[in-house]
């Protein structure tokens, strides 16, 4: 069960406000930066705020947060112009900014990893069309943003039909107490892009996420381009644009090319047209599973070492005609590597594993409940990560 979370009396805010007033000033004005990560209008507003501190109060009042009154927030301004100035684009959240972050508004806030134009942003908008998409620097940051009530959901990739599993997010699922409440399948279409005036034969190298580079291996090899990995695809496009690189291109989405003002040299350069990334939707609380439509359940468990133990674990599903759609093994951390195990005849035991399994059944189904009850008889650890509707759509 997820640990209970006590919500702060103040509403979590999706905009990031930073200010550095002098502690000696009784009343000062400071420049306040508000990052507004809207999915449709990517805008950045410098706003002047009045900061007033009452230094005549007692120490308890001094420790209270100073009241922050914004003179204006231009939420309704129609700024659709793409700017190549990095200071005019929303910056991703980082873990160090959480203590300074507040939010307003009633729209659903959905965190994703990357910058504007990332495939994860498009997946978030597919899951929640009217959401406020919030960019995060790292996967860890997105998990923490949900846990700290800064956002309502996180949409993060878990596997790709060509590149395989996103191992980092499997590990983070176990580390954090969030619940899978849905999935999104998104068709990925890679583009090769560069600054205007740069021809494809002038390129010497290309930047992108390792998975994107792997998915376009044949095309990039044929073009003779040196591949360099970066954190995300849209970030690669942003880097090429802002540094005005003339011998370097990026592999990213057509949306990223539009945002950062790049020229698309080639479209659909992935090696396989069936290039689909599956994203998980994460929330603080689980949803109530039903049986009115196809459901999927994700679990993680560990087993004692021994002959046929994994076979027995998987058999609990086969015996009940439950189809498994995914199984992933990850090293069980926090184990003393090289420690002797009496059950292992004194031989050092180097590997213990966690098994992540997705199966096609709802936890409202008695068969699924019986299967997990059976599995629990010999599993040393078992946790249900979520039971959620299957995404049967595709874009």
């Amino acid at each position: 069960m997820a640990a209970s979370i006590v919500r702060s009396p103040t509403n979590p805010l999706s905009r990031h406000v930073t200010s550095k007033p002098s502690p000696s000033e009784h009343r000062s004005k400071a420049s306040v930066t508000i990052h507004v990560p809207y999915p449709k209008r990517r805008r950045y507003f410098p706003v002047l705020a009045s900061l007033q501190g009452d230094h005549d109060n007692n120490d308890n009042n001094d420790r209270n947060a100073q009241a922050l009154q914004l003179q204006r927030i231009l939420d309704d301004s129609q700024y659709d112009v793409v700017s190549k100035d990095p200071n005019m684009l929303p910056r991703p959240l980082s873990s160090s900014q959480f203590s300074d972050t507040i939010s307003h508004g009633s729209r659903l806030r959905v965190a994703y990893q990357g910058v504007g134009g990332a495939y994860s942003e498009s997946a978030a908008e597919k899951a929640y069309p009217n959401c406020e998409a919030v960019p995060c620097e790292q996967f860890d940051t997105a998990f923490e943003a949900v846990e700290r009530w800064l956002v309502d959901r996180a949409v993060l990739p878990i596997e790709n039909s060509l590149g395989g599993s996103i191992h980092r997010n499997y590990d983070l699922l176990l580390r954090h107490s969030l619940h899978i409440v849905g999935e999104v399948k998104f068709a990925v279409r890679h583009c090769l892009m560069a600054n205007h005036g740069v021809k494809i034969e002038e390129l010497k190298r290309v930047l992108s996420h390792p998975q994107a580079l792997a998915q376009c291996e044949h095309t990039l090899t044929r073009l003779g381009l040196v591949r360099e990995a970066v954190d995300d695809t849209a970030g690669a496009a942003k880097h090429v644009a802002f540094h005005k690189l003339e011998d370097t291109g990026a592999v990213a989405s057509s949306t990223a090319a539009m945002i950062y003002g790049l020229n698309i040299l080639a479209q659909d350069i992935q090696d396989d047209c069936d290039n689909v990334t599956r994203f998980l939707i994460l929330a603080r609380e689980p949803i109530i599973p039903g049986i009115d439509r196809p459901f999927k359940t994700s679990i993680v468990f560990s087993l004692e070492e021994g002959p046929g133990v994994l076979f027995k674990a998987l058999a609990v599903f086969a015996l009940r005609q439950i189809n498994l759609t995914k199984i992933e093994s990850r090293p069980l951390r926090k184990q003393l590597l090289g420690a002797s195990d009496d059950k292992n005849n004194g031989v050092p035991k180097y590997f213990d594993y966690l098994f992540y399994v997705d199966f096609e059944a709802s936890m409202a189904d008695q068969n699924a409940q019986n299967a997990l009850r059976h599995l629990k008889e010999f599993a040393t650890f078992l946790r249900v990560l979520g039971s959620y509707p299957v995404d049967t759509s595709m874009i």
Side-chain angles (χ1 to χ4, degrees), residues 12-17 93-94 97-103 150:
L13 302 177
S14 58
R15 297 171 181 80
H16 172 213
V17 179
L93 286 174
S94 63
Q97 297 170 336
F98 282 157
S99 60
D100 298 324
T101 304
I102 61 175
S103 69
L150 300 175

Side-chain angles (χ1 to χ4, degrees), residues 162 187-189 270-276:
L162 301 181
V188 176
R189 301 179 63 184
Q270 60 273 5
D271 297 334
D272 193 320
C273 60
D274 294 326
N275 184 17
V276 178

Side-chain angles (χ1 to χ4, degrees), residues 6-7 77-78 292 307 390:
V6 179
R7 185 166 186 173
S77 298
Q78 300 297 322
D292 57 328
V390 174

Side-chain angles (χ1 to χ4, degrees), residues 30-271:
S31 177
V32 175
T33 299
I34 297 187
H35 303 283
V36 188
Y38 287 106
K40 301 302 181 186
R41 303 172 190 163
R42 295 167 177 84
R43 300 171 291 176
Y44 172 98
F45 302 129
V47 178
L48 190 66
S50 175
L51 291 153
Q52 181 174 358
D54 186 358
H55 298 287
D56 296 331
N57 292 339
N58 56 32
D59 292 340
N60 288 333
N61 289 334
D62 288 340
R63 286 194 292 267
N64 290 336
Q66 293 179 314
L68 185 64
Q69 298 177 340
L70 298 179
Q71 292 182 350
R72 64 184 185 275
I73 299 178
L74 307 178
D75 282 342
D76 297 326
S77 298
Q78 300 297 322
Y79 289 123
D80 293 325
V81 178
V82 175
S83 173
K84 285 189 145 188
D85 182 357
N87 292 325
M88 294 299 292
L89 293 169
R91 296 180 182 177
L93 286 174
S94 63
S95 297
S96 62
Q97 297 170 336
F98 282 157
S99 60
D100 298 324
T101 304
I102 61 175
S103 69
H104 286 297
S106 58
R107 285 198 303 167
L108 198 68
R109 299 170 295 274
V110 182
Y112 68 94
Q113 188 274 329
V115 297
Y119 292 109
S120 294
E121 182 187 32
S122 298
E125 291 172 355
K126 178 190 175 185
Y128 302 103
N130 297 317
C131 74
E132 179 180 334
V134 180
C136 297
E137 285 185 342
Q138 304 294 335
F139 292 131
D140 313 53
T141 314
F143 275 85
E144 292 176 25
V146 180
E147 288 184 327
R148 300 189 186 193
W149 295 84
L150 300 175
V151 297
D152 304 291
R153 301 283 189 275
V155 174
L156 299 172
I158 196 66
E159 61 178 326
N160 177 266
S161 58
L162 301 181
S165 300
I166 314 296
H167 295 135
R168 177 63 179 161
N169 284 336
Y170 274 106
D171 295 338
L172 290 172
L173 281 172
L174 189 62
R175 182 179 302 176
H176 295 270
S177 299
L178 299 183
H179 301 269
I180 304 173
V181 297
E183 67 174 5
V184 182
K185 294 176 182 176
F186 190 82
V188 176
R189 301 179 63 184
H190 292 306
C191 299
L192 177 62
M193 59 195 67
N195 282 297
H196 287 275
V198 177
K199 298 180 180 179
I200 194 168
E201 56 268 18
E202 296 174 343
L203 296 179
K204 295 180 180 178
R205 62 181 184 140
V206 63
L207 308 180
S208 196
H209 187 275
Q211 287 251 353
L213 294 175
Q215 293 162 17
C216 304
E217 181 178 1
H218 297 321
T219 302
L220 299 178
T221 300
R222 177 171 50 82
L223 294 173
L225 298 177
V226 176
R227 283 152 277 187
E228 295 186 16
V230 295
D231 286 342
D232 61 272
T233 55
K238 181 178 179 180
H239 180 84
V240 170
F242 290 151
H243 290 84
K244 297 180 173 61
L245 302 179
E246 297 182 354
D247 64 345
T248 304
V251 173
S253 67
S254 58
T255 303
M258 179 184 65
I259 292 174
Y260 303 112
L262 296 178
N263 181 38
I264 296 178
L265 300 175
Q267 295 185 351
D268 293 331
I269 64 170
Q270 60 273 5
D271 297 334

Side-chain angles (χ1 to χ4, degrees), residues 354-371:
L354 289 164
F355 298 97
Y356 292 82
V357 169
D358 295 341
F359 59 87
E360 292 180 332
S362 167
M363 283 305 298
D365 187 342
Q366 190 64 45
N367 265 350
Q369 297 176 22
N370 291 338

